[in-house]
Each structure stands twice: as C-alpha cells, then as structure tokens.
Amino acid sequence: FKSFLCNLSMRVNRILPLLFLLLSSLLNSCGVVYKDVEIHGIENIELVKFENDGMIIEADVTINNPNFYGIDVTDSDLQIYLTDVVLGNATFLGEMNLAANFEEKKHLTIKTIYRGKMSNTLKSVFGLAMGKEMLLRIEGEVTGKAMGISRSFDVRIEEMVKL
C-alpha cells in the first residue's frame, strides 16, 4: 500500500504542472483570466508646469477595468507628442489602482522628460502658441499587476488642448 501511494504521489507531481499549464493557457486564450483595460475618455487636460528638464500635465481619464480583480499600475513607458512633434518620454506620477469590474474617472499627473536640449525651444513655441488649440498625444505601454502577475497593455490618448 505504501509503494502504491508513493507511485501515485510521483505521478501526480509529474502531471500537476502540466495540468496547471494547460488550464492557464486555455483560460488565457478564452479571455477568462484577463480582459484589456479600456480608456473611454479624457477631459480637462492641463499643462500645469514647465521645468528645465520637462513639464507636468494633468488630465481626467475615464478608465474601465472589466476584470473580476483590481489592478495596480506599476510602471509606464510613454511618449508624448504635441502636434506630431515628440516632446519626450513620460511617466505617471503617484499610485494608480483600478478597482475590479469598475469604470471610474482618474485624475492623472504625467511628468514629461524632454528629449535633448528642447527646453528653451519648447518654451518659445508654447509662448507663441498660447491661446491656440494643439493636438496632444500620449502613447506607449503601461504595466499593471494583479494577484502577483504583471501584464502590459498599450495606451493611446489624443486630445485637443488649449495652451
């Protein structure tokens, strides 16, 4: 009886990881485990502050998390454009948590780091453009974590802003 249990235990130990991999790949391919987070709208974009190495932008973004679990945003790798001119790299400041099965408006603060020596040129361009509308575009990748698993998703936000 003892050898039977030992053999059964060895078989289960070999089969269990395969079953787990098969089940997780089936659930992932069916979309049961993860559904893409969606951005449904952006409002109140404001260029808050110019700094020597970048600028601070704030916006209200409506985000839908259709998953049955909450997601913590852990990293962002974004590019920011103003009327198709690359301003630089951008990241979210502060923590962002997306509640499970919930659509909510989040107030985001985004820090842009200028590429190269653009600071004085951009200040001049913004000075000339004050009061005019320009297209602001933010795109890149955001990484979230839930239940110990990280996943990245693409982000693209476009909005006309008045400077």
Side-chain angles (χ1 to χ4, degrees):
F1 182 74
K2 189 175 180 181
S3 68
F4 171 75
L5 287 178
C6 186
N7 283 338
L8 182 63
S9 174
M10 286 179 18
R11 287 182 183 158
V12 168
N13 284 340
R14 281 190 227 148
I15 294 173
L16 201 57
L18 293 173
L19 285 175
F20 178 75
L21 282 173
L22 179 63
L23 182 61
S24 65
S25 67
L26 282 173
L27 290 175
N28 276 330
S29 66
C30 294
V32 174
V33 173
Y34 174 80
K35 296 177 184 169
D36 286 337
V37 172
E38 303 162 342
I39 296 174
H40 286 171
I42 183 167
E43 303 172 330
N44 306 322
I45 294 178
E46 185 179 347
L47 301 174
V48 176
K49 184 177 179 183
F50 283 104
E51 298 175 342
N52 287 335
D53 63 341
M55 66 181 159
I56 304 291
I57 298 171
E58 291 184 356
D60 295 324
V61 179
T62 303
I63 302 173
N64 179 38
N65 176 13
N67 297 290
F68 65 89
Y69 48 85
I71 297 174
D72 296 323
V73 174
T74 57
D75 194 19
S76 56
D77 181 18
L78 306 168
Q79 302 294 313
I80 191 161
Y81 302 82
L82 189 62
T83 312
D84 294 326
V85 174
V86 178
L87 296 183
N89 299 329
T91 58
F92 295 126
L93 297 180
E95 293 182 8
M96 188 186 331
N97 307 82
L98 307 176
N101 289 316
F102 197 66
E103 180 170 299
E104 61 186 311
K105 189 177 284 189
K106 293 281 190 183
H107 184 77
L108 303 181
T109 303
I110 302 164
K111 166 107 175 151
T112 299
I113 306 297
Y114 298 137
R115 284 191 180 167
K117 299 191 181 249
M118 296 182 70
S119 144
N120 291 332
T121 305
L122 282 175
K123 285 182 183 177
S124 300
V125 168
F126 281 115
L128 294 172
M130 286 307 218
K132 296 181 183 175
E133 279 197 344
M134 299 182 85
L135 179 67
L136 179 73
R137 186 173 85 234
I138 300 169
E139 61 184 36
E141 193 172 78
V142 174
T143 302
K145 186 174 186 176
M147 299 184 295
I149 300 170
S150 292
R151 182 167 179 144
S152 297
F153 54 95
D154 293 330
V155 171
R156 183 177 171 97
I157 302 170
E158 286 187 359
E159 187 74 20
M160 294 300 290
V161 295
K162 191 169 190 174
L163 301 176

